[in-house]
Amino acid sequence: MSSSSLFKLGFLALLLETQVAVTVAAVLAAPSITLDSGTFVGTAGTNTQSFLGIPFAQPPVGDLRFRLPVANAAYTGTHNATAMGPACPQQAIKLPILTGLPQEVVDDVVNSIFGTVFPASEDCLTINVIKPTSATSTSKLPVVAWIFGGGFELGSTQMYDGTTIVQRSIAMGEPVIYVSMNYRVAAFGFLASKEVRAAGVGNLGLQDQRQALRWIQKYIGNFGGDPSKVTIWGESAGAISVSLQMLANGGNTEGLFRGAFMESGSPIPVGAIENGQKYYDQIVSQTGCSSASDTLACLRTVPFDKLKAAQDATPGIFSYQSLVLAWLPRADGTFLSDNPQRLVQQGKVANVPFVTGDCDDEGTLFSLSTLNITTDDQFLTWIKTFWVPQGSTAQGVALNTLYPSDQVDGSPFDTGLLNSVTPQFKRIAAFQGDAVFQAPRRFFQQTLSGKQKQWAFLSKREKAVPVLGSFHATDILNVYFDGELTDYLINFANNLDPNGKTVPSWPGYTTATPNMMTFLDGLIPTSITQDTYRAAGMQFLTNLTLQFPV
């Protein structure tokens, strides 16, 4: 069986596991929890209890569409908490049209991740809690708060079942409580324009996450959790969200979390919220709001289907511009007072311990939409068009040198001439992976070196997957299927240190000794390596994106 098929099976098993857990739990005695004057009836597993789909804010519908999340009134009555709530409205995924091996990979891997459709609704701000059965209101257990990924365009808590993590924590004698939250995505969560800035409603998806964290502070003690021991944790857009929660409000955590765990995501090189103006204007035009005196107020009255169609007409994560996303967090002057990387430079970062890392081939998955780029000139034109329109000729020459078209240098890295589906594919994949993931992580870690405890990792597993290699999201299997990252996460949530007796020693990260826990295929599954690869290229990209944020 191919490595890609194994990955697909693993991901599908994760989705199936969610359904099986719910089915098994249904035959056991239903547990209940009291919040305010309300009773929430959940489900019981073998040694866990789940309380799912609990609203943590008022539904963002009607006049609350495109507004900051509003806290619920006190709970009353009896509520069914046996199923996760619907996803927030998703942006439609349009996969690139491919042939040959790339198409086989898309069919085998990508569709298994992005092709799953989950029920969605504007009324989507719900939270899930999975706890050890033995936990009581006096247990004071650490909490891991999961923020899902999906390019800020899609995603749902329904994709992930944290039961295995709680069960593993029980087996380790370090029990934790697992929490996951929905948040608004795409245009519904990251509308960006001068109008949005003026109204103070930027980065609504991040604001939803913040509201969920406030809910945890208020209610997690009822489930046996300790509100002073919350670790925020995410992957991809979820990891970027974690890093931006560290930067929000000038680095003020509001006491909402004490540690951060990031998989494939760091403070990204984005600029002012007005950088999204063209997408805002496009939606305003397509919904018939152009003539309104208050276009934002008009958008609140647009029928859902019409607004969703206008959103879906904007570029998506697999469009030609790829990771130059239409919908993503931007500096709004309030929640994010400046460009994220500038905030890092200014030291406006929550002073909490953190773990962060990437997969080796972050860019391959997002470079399948650019296979028609086959020459150096076309590559530089694409960069100039979408990434740095203001860039100089000299910068283009430097990029051409640091990220050459030589297949041996490209991503999937360390695969020689293999995976060269076009003359430029491996080069574009190397550029995108470094520009959006690797270089921002290194910049984040090096800037904070010596200021707070931190650990780094690099996942080189699944390297044999054709075309994609150790592609974005492969590390999820290492944490949701009792891999080493599961134990490291549980240790970190308990002790603010990933090290423990069940896993290899993981030394901390500093600029002087940039240690990386590296996960490998084969008989030796881990190794400590140094964060020194592609130094000149990443430094160039960091300087370039600081000058020209997206």
Side-chain angles (χ1 to χ4, degrees):
M1 183 177 291
S2 70
S3 182
S4 59
S5 295
L6 288 172
F7 179 84
K8 178 182 179 183
L9 288 174
F11 189 83
L12 292 175
L14 178 59
L15 298 178
L16 179 62
E17 196 169 87
T18 303
Q19 304 302 320
V20 172
V22 171
T23 302
V24 171
V27 303
L28 301 176
S32 64
I33 203 87
T34 300
L35 306 178
D36 300 322
S37 298
T39 300
F40 289 81
V41 180
T43 58
T46 53
N47 57 355
T48 63
Q49 295 175 344
S50 300
F51 299 88
L52 311 176
I54 303 173
F56 68 81
Q58 294 183 29
V61 300
D63 191 55
L64 291 184
R65 177 194 283 173
F66 299 130
R67 293 196 189 276
L68 299 180
V70 179
N72 287 317
Y75 296 112
T76 60
T78 300
H79 306 264
N80 184 333
T82 60
M84 294 186 186
C88 292
Q90 314 277 286
Q91 181 162 359
I93 289 296
K94 302 171 185 175
L95 294 172
I97 298 174
L98 305 169
T99 59
L101 183 59
Q103 182 59 51
E104 292 178 23
V105 171
V106 167
D107 290 341
D108 200 28
V109 177
V110 181
N111 278 318
S112 70
I113 303 173
F114 295 97
T116 304
V117 177
F118 296 98
S121 168
E122 276 197 89
D123 182 0
C124 60
L125 298 184
T126 59
I127 199 164
N128 312 292
V129 180
I130 302 175
K131 61 181 281 292
T133 300
S134 60
T136 69
S137 58
T138 61
S139 296
K140 301 290 185 182
L141 299 182
V143 179
V144 291
W146 168 251
I147 305 175
F148 61 77
F152 299 103
E153 296 178 357
L154 67 156
S156 168
T157 60
Q158 299 171 70
M159 298 172 68
Y160 307 96
D161 178 23
T163 302
T164 56
I165 293 171
V166 177
Q167 289 176 332
R168 176 59 183 163
S169 74
I170 295 170
M172 291 170 61
E174 296 187 73
V176 301
I177 290 178
Y178 172 96
V179 178
S180 62
M181 66 197 74
N182 273 334
Y183 60 95
R184 284 172 282 181
V185 296
F188 291 85
F190 294 96
L191 206 62
S193 67
K194 62 184 180 183
E195 294 86 353
V196 171
R197 181 190 290 272
V201 293
N203 295 311
L204 291 176
L206 298 180
Q207 296 276 13
D208 293 341
Q209 297 165 13
R210 200 77 166 185
Q211 183 60 33
L213 294 173
R214 295 189 185 104
W215 184 96
I216 292 172
Q217 288 297 303
K218 184 173 182 179
Y219 292 112
I220 203 64
N222 298 55
F223 298 88
D226 187 338
S228 70
K229 295 181 180 179
V230 176
T231 294
I232 53 175
W233 158 51
E235 185 271 340
S236 190
I240 295 170
S241 295
V242 168
S243 75
L244 298 183
Q245 294 295 341
M246 293 175 67
L247 303 178
N249 302 326
N252 179 10
T253 68
E254 302 178 51
L256 299 176
F257 57 91
R258 69 168 188 168
F261 203 102
M262 291 159 276
E263 299 179 51
S264 299
S266 305
I268 49 177
V270 293
I273 199 167
E274 289 79 8
N275 287 8
Q277 189 74 46
K278 65 180 178 181
Y279 305 114
Y280 177 90
D281 292 343
Q282 178 179 332
I283 282 186
V284 166
S285 174
Q286 292 192 2
T287 54
C289 286
S290 296
S291 61
S293 58
D294 185 339
T295 55
L296 190 55
C298 179
L299 289 177
R300 294 191 178 104
T301 67
V302 172
F304 171 78
D305 289 345
K306 190 173 185 179
L307 181 59
K308 175 74 163 55
Q311 168 193 270
D312 291 348
T314 61
I317 198 168
F318 291 111
S319 297
Y320 191 55
Q321 66 193 66
S322 193
L323 290 178
V324 184
L325 300 174
W327 310 110
L328 77 176
R330 302 181 191 271
D332 60 9
T334 306
F335 193 76
L336 294 175
S337 60
D338 202 343
N339 302 356
Q341 292 190 326
R342 288 183 191 164
L343 292 175
V344 174
Q345 289 179 319
Q346 296 161 15
K348 295 179 179 178
V349 185
N351 187 15
V352 299
F354 66 92
V355 173
T356 185
D358 293 299
C359 298
D360 202 29
D361 301 306
E362 292 284 2
T364 53
L365 182 63
F366 308 108
S367 301
L368 295 173
S369 60
T370 54
L371 297 185
N372 62 327
I373 298 174
T374 58
T375 69
D376 289 359
D377 286 345
Q378 290 172 344
F379 169 71
L380 291 176
T381 297
W382 179 73
I383 295 291
K384 179 80 171 175
T385 301
F386 295 111
W387 288 86
V388 284
Q390 304 85 14
S392 68
T393 300
Q395 288 170 324
V397 171
L399 182 62
N400 201 42
T401 300
L402 293 166
Y403 286 86
S405 56
D406 189 335
Q407 306 294 342
V408 175
D409 295 323
S411 179
F413 296 109
D414 303 318
T415 61
L417 298 177
L418 297 177
N419 305 302
S420 302
V421 290
T422 75
Q424 298 287 323
F425 170 74
K426 293 184 73 174
R427 169 197 228 174
I428 294 172
F431 164 77
Q432 288 208 107
D434 282 0
V436 177
F437 299 99
Q438 297 277 8
R441 177 202 53 75
R442 183 176 290 168
F443 168 77
F444 188 47
Q445 294 207 268
Q446 290 185 347
T447 305
L448 296 180
S449 175
K451 299 177 182 178
Q452 54 209 86
K453 290 184 177 181
Q454 53 175 300
W455 293 262
F457 75 83
L458 180 65
S459 179
K460 292 190 173 188
R461 290 187 180 163
E462 309 296 334
K463 183 63 77 170
V465 174
V467 179
L468 301 181
S470 302
F471 68 95
H472 183 75
T474 48
D475 58 319
I476 291 177
L477 298 178
N478 196 353
V479 70
Y480 273 95
F481 279 96
D482 289 344
E484 299 96 337
L485 271 180
T486 314
D487 288 20
Y488 285 129
L489 170 68
I490 292 166
N491 290 335
F492 185 78
N494 275 272
N495 309 308
L496 295 180
D497 186 323
N499 286 288
K501 59 187 178 181
T502 63
V503 281
S505 176
W506 187 345
Y509 183 105
T510 67
T511 301
T513 53
N515 298 305
M516 303 193 82
M517 173 59 70
T518 302
F519 300 104
L520 304 165
D521 294 318
L523 296 177
I524 302 175
T526 64
S527 175
I528 302 300
T529 61
Q530 299 300 297
D531 185 23
T532 56
Y533 50 93
R534 300 190 297 284
M538 286 197 216
Q539 186 60 58
F540 173 80
L541 290 179
T542 294
N543 293 337
L544 188 68
T545 53
L546 278 168
Q547 184 179 0
F548 304 115
V550 176

